[in-house]
Amino acid sequence: MAKIELDKLKQLREQAGDLTQWIWVGASGLIVLVMMFMSFTTIEPGEVAVRVNNVTGSATAITQPGWVFRMPLGIHSLHVLDLSPQTFQMKGEQGVDDLHVEKLTVRASDGANFHFEDTTLIFQITGDEAVTVTRDAGVEYMYRAWIKPYARAILRDEFGRESTITVSDPSNYGRAATRAQERLNEFLRPHGIIVTQMVTPRPKFNANYEHLIEERNRLRNELEVIKSNLERSETDRQRTLSEVDRDENKKIQERRAVLESDLATAVADREKAIQAADTYKIAKIGEGQAKLVAARRKAEELEGQLEADYRAKKSEVEAFRTQPVERVMQRLGASLEGVTIHIEPWANDANPSRVVLEQ
């Protein structure tokens, strides 16, 4: 009986030893599995990791999303940083956290004060400079501490260069905001941080000055309206002048066409008249020359006939001159045939100087 119990006890001890061995194997596997899971970290899109070798002190930035391995037992340290854009606001009377601080108040170059109700900066870290960010600022969101002092100091400095008159002009404070952003990036970029956008509303002054600004803006708007009306009037004037020129040019062209047509007709009529006059002239000259020739011939004939009659009359006179008085009186009586001569029995003048012959 005692021997049987010893055998059973021995068997139990062997079974317990085998179970302990399996427990140790399972525990070791579990530890290895846990260490493996602890050695891998998932990097999401919009994140960057910095893996630090605690043995050598080197650091590496990992920008690709996915699984990242780190050696266990403190050999590697892994720090995950947020790459997404973040908003820094200067708004209100007091700060809330690192990203929400009190409003920005600026002293202008002429000594007056003004403030911005809500100044917003959009910033983010540079993925390739993640090692610089963790080295200069620390892990997680410690880099936010760089924004507040630089932003407030630089914005006060750049906007403080403007006077209350120039800063109330949107174009001027827009340029000041651009200068401030560029200068802010000059200081933040070496630490792996960059400001991508800056939104600054119109600066605020005291009530009286705000009223003056509104009046100036109103008058400026009225001036712009007047300029716009002048430009529109000038445009209308130019259009009206163009229309008048077009209409007048059309009338001129129509009148010119009519006058050119009349001129062409007049020139044609003139040529016809000249041609007709030349024809009439030629005809009349020919007719006149023919009549002249005929008249000359007629004159020559008449001249010859007259010469002949003259000679005949002269011969007759010469012949008559030699005739006696009776023959002359006979001829005179023949020529006075049918003529009545009244003879008065007395005469007033013994020597009459005139004799009146009545027929």
Side-chain angles (χ1 to χ4, degrees), residues 142-209:
M142 298 297 293
Y143 59 87
R144 293 176 177 175
W146 289 97
I147 300 297
K148 178 179 178 180
Y150 280 120
R152 188 172 294 277
I154 292 175
L155 265 65
R156 279 179 174 174
D157 188 15
E158 292 301 328
F159 284 107
R161 300 175 186 273
E162 305 291 338
S163 65
T164 53
I165 296 177
T166 59
V167 79
S168 60
D169 187 350
S171 59
N172 289 330
Y173 73 73
R175 288 193 294 267
T178 301
R179 294 197 309 267
Q181 181 176 345
E182 293 175 353
R183 187 177 171 191
L184 191 58
N185 283 329
E186 289 179 2
F187 283 94
L188 294 177
R189 191 176 284 110
H191 302 291
I193 304 171
I194 184 172
V195 176
T196 58
Q197 186 178 358
M198 179 182 295
V199 181
T200 54
R202 189 175 66 85
K204 297 290 185 179
F205 302 88
N206 58 47
N208 293 332
Y209 199 83

Side-chain angles (χ1 to χ4, degrees), residues 231-247:
E231 293 176 356
R232 185 169 62 254
S233 299
E234 180 64 23
T235 303
D236 294 340
R237 175 178 175 273
Q238 294 296 333
R239 184 176 65 252
T240 303
L241 289 176
S242 300
E243 293 175 354
V244 171
D245 290 339
R246 182 194 61 201
D247 296 339

Side-chain angles (χ1 to χ4, degrees), residues 289-346:
Q289 288 178 348
K291 289 182 178 180
L292 177 61
V293 171
R296 284 179 178 176
R297 290 178 182 176
K298 182 70 174 178
E300 291 176 354
E301 291 178 357
L302 292 174
E303 184 180 2
Q305 184 178 359
L306 182 61
E307 182 68 23
D309 292 341
Y310 172 72
R311 290 178 179 177
K313 291 292 183 180
K314 186 177 180 182
S315 299
E316 185 178 356
V317 169
E318 290 295 333
F320 187 74
R321 183 179 295 175
T322 60
Q323 294 296 325
V325 176
E326 294 80 2
R327 185 63 178 169
V328 173
M329 294 301 290
Q330 184 181 358
R331 290 291 300 269
L332 180 62
S335 62
L336 294 176
E337 185 178 359
V339 176
T340 301
I341 301 174
H342 296 279
I343 301 174
E344 294 180 358
W346 54 272

Side-chain angles (χ1 to χ4, degrees), residues 44-48 62-63 81-86 123-128 130 143:
E44 301 292 338
E47 294 180 340
V48 63
I62 302 171
T63 59
L81 302 176
D82 188 3
L83 275 179
S84 62
Q86 301 182 51
F123 71 98
Q124 65 184 103
I125 65 174
T126 307
D128 297 337
Y143 59 87

Side-chain angles (χ1 to χ4, degrees), residues 28-92:
S28 299
L30 181 62
I31 292 172
V32 170
L33 185 61
V34 171
M35 292 184 65
M36 288 181 64
F37 277 105
M38 293 178 60
S39 298
F40 286 93
T41 302
T42 302
I43 303 299
E44 301 292 338
E47 294 180 340
V48 63
V50 178
R51 183 169 55 195
V52 181
N53 190 327
N54 294 320
V55 178
T56 62
S58 62
T60 305
I62 302 171
T63 59
Q64 294 296 329
W67 290 91
V68 179
F69 174 76
R70 62 176 177 177
M71 294 293 290
L73 303 177
I75 297 175
H76 283 167
S77 297
L78 192 68
H79 306 289
V80 179
L81 302 176
D82 188 3
L83 275 179
S84 62
Q86 301 182 51
T87 302
F88 175 79
Q89 283 187 321
M90 289 185 281
K91 180 180 180 181

